[in-house]
Amino acid sequence: FYVIRFDNRDIGLSTHLDHMGKPNVIVTKVLSIIPFVTPSTPYTLVDMAEDAVALLDHLSLPSAHVCGASMGGMIAQLVAIHFPERVRSLVSIMSTTGDYFSPAASIGLQLKLISPAPTEEDAFVKFRLAGLSEICSKHHWNAPPASPPRPN
């Protein structure tokens, strides 16, 4: 077997759709809890699930074991829902269905997770480690040093 890992839209080395506008995550989240209101976004998680299936098509793979973490877990679930014949198995890590009544992270944690990361390297590392300490198992988390050692 082999692993196929890819960047979703607007992330990393994937296609960036700046011309479609940047979604306002906070407004979208607030609007999504109002019954019968569908927030306007440049694209949806279903669109991103279709991207994953298009990649399988491009690679001539009829099906795959699908795994996703966080938003990727939501996308993986949608691949399984909309394209069940393409999914051999599903692993959804640190994810949710998005259902309003599902347990959710605290508002404070949600705001931390969507806040922009610093661009300076040391500040970025501290920011990411602080975020990981919030979401990782307290039983298994050993706080890393404040300043990670640098390679020579």
Side-chain angles (χ1 to χ4, degrees), residues 53-129:
V53 172
L55 180 57
L56 292 177
D57 290 343
H58 178 76
L59 297 171
S60 300
L61 296 172
S63 63
H65 299 283
V66 179
C67 177
S70 194
M71 182 179 75
M74 296 173 81
I75 295 168
Q77 290 174 52
L78 290 168
V79 171
I81 290 167
H82 294 281
F83 306 94
E85 71 284 358
R86 306 302 295 270
V87 179
R88 294 182 187 186
S89 65
L90 170 67
V91 178
S92 180
I93 305 167
M94 304 182 322
S95 196
T96 178
T97 62
D99 181 74
Y100 177 73
F101 295 106
S102 294
S106 70
I107 296 296
L109 178 57
Q110 290 181 47
L111 291 173
K112 284 181 187 177
L113 292 172
I114 64 171
S115 63
T119 55
E120 194 277 321
E121 183 182 10
D122 286 339
F124 177 82
V125 169
K126 287 179 183 176
F127 173 84
R128 294 297 297 182
L129 291 174

Side-chain angles (χ1 to χ4, degrees), residues 7-16:
D7 291 329
N8 291 312
R9 294 179 183 203
D10 286 327
I11 299 294
L13 299 176
S14 73
T15 302
H16 286 257

